[in-house]
Amino acid sequence: MKRRQVFRLLAGQTILATGGLGQVYRETTNPGVATGDGAAMAYRAGAEVGDMEFVQFHPTALYVEGAPRFLLSEALRGEGAYLRNMQRERFMPKYHPLAELAPRDVVARAIVREFESTRRPDAVVYLDLSHLDSKHVQSRFPRIFQTCLQYGIDITSDLVPVRPAAHYAMGGVRTDLNGRTNLKGLFAAGEAACTGVHGANRLASNSLLEGLVYGARAANAMQNEIRPNRRPATVSSHSLPEPASQTTSAVVAQIRDLMWRNVGIVRSGTGLKEAIAELENLRNRLPQPCTRGSCEATNIHQVALLIAKSALERLESRGAHYRTDYPDRDDVHFKKHSVLRRERIRFE
């Protein structure tokens, strides 16, 4: 960035360990670098991506002006915290027998339904721990307690405003058990990869499995397959034009709003078609990929299309993918992984 040049480095083997894609959505617990770069780059290179429609939304992220979307662990609910709507009513018992202990996708959809009943764009729900022993809560959740306190909220006595946020991508670059993709010399590991360990919904510890086990397996496979690079060893470069940061920010904001609205926790065929059409129209507004920001904008756009197109083709509701027009699970036709490559999607 200092020299404003792009350098091309040639490698016999490459591993994508670029993390998640939460920044495709307006609300996310992910850091700013989680822009889906691995999936987007691999797809453009001809690699297969899989299960892109399955994005898990964590139901309880801190929602305070000026604060990041800090994840408030479901362990809070496991400890006995209640969820209350804007009328201060506890609402989860009417949605699931396990109430606050229901699966993440169930809780997230229940919160969305509570929002719909308020008809307020600023609607929130609240985590309530005030009925629990305050000293126990502080000692059990010291980091959450201190972080919320920074933003003027005492979780032992105050109602904590929360909203769902995009959290984890079950899909990604499709690999085998050793991190290999369908492209020779290209590997993927971690959240960037689609290894299949999550299925349609993520359990928290599976991300450790995906990183530690599959990261190590991919590294071993690459080491065992090292081959000489027969291409020229020269490094080429070219200069970058001046960035257009305002255009980039505006396009990214539009994509993120669109994805949150139409390809989020609750989806429909109509909304997905509208999202795809709008994303296609935005293609001409994408800045030339000449800076980190503009490259990330291009990747966010690409990944958004992959998620929306995969979600449109899955005519059922399963795990983190929920469609109002197909609310039931269809094991006859869709107990399969989605696979996208070069504009074509199949289930296998």
Side-chain angles (χ1 to χ4, degrees), residues 84-139:
R84 299 188 182 278
N85 59 24
M86 297 192 76
Q87 290 73 45
R88 309 304 194 262
E89 301 165 339
R90 188 181 172 203
F91 59 87
M92 276 310 301
K94 69 183 179 184
Y95 291 106
H96 196 278
L98 293 176
E100 281 83 3
L101 300 182
R104 288 178 179 178
D105 59 299
V106 174
V107 179
R109 288 197 298 273
I111 292 172
V112 168
R113 291 193 183 99
E114 293 296 310
F115 289 166
E116 291 170 351
S117 67
T118 68
R119 300 180 182 276
R120 289 178 53 174
D122 61 341
V124 295
V125 297
Y126 300 98
L127 267 177
D128 181 9
L129 294 86
S130 62
H131 55 288
L132 304 177
D133 181 77
S134 61
K135 291 183 178 179
H136 175 73
V137 170
Q138 287 186 46
S139 62

Side-chain angles (χ1 to χ4, degrees), residues 9-19 37-39 41-42 173-181 183-193 195 210-223 227:
L9 306 177
L10 303 180
Q13 296 178 73
T14 301
I15 185 165
L16 296 168
T18 54
D37 303 307
M41 291 188 293
V173 186
R174 200 162 182 247
T175 71
D176 65 9
L177 295 179
N178 291 300
R180 296 185 191 87
T181 72
L183 297 184
K184 191 173 183 179
L186 182 64
F187 292 72
E191 194 174 348
T195 60
E210 202 164 48
L212 293 174
V213 175
Y214 286 86
R217 291 178 70 95
N220 289 336
M222 292 174 73
Q223 192 173 37
R227 62 185 188 278

Side-chain angles (χ1 to χ4, degrees), residues 19 23 93 122 161 204 217 276 286:
Q23 291 297 328
D122 61 341
R217 291 178 70 95
I276 292 168
L286 288 171

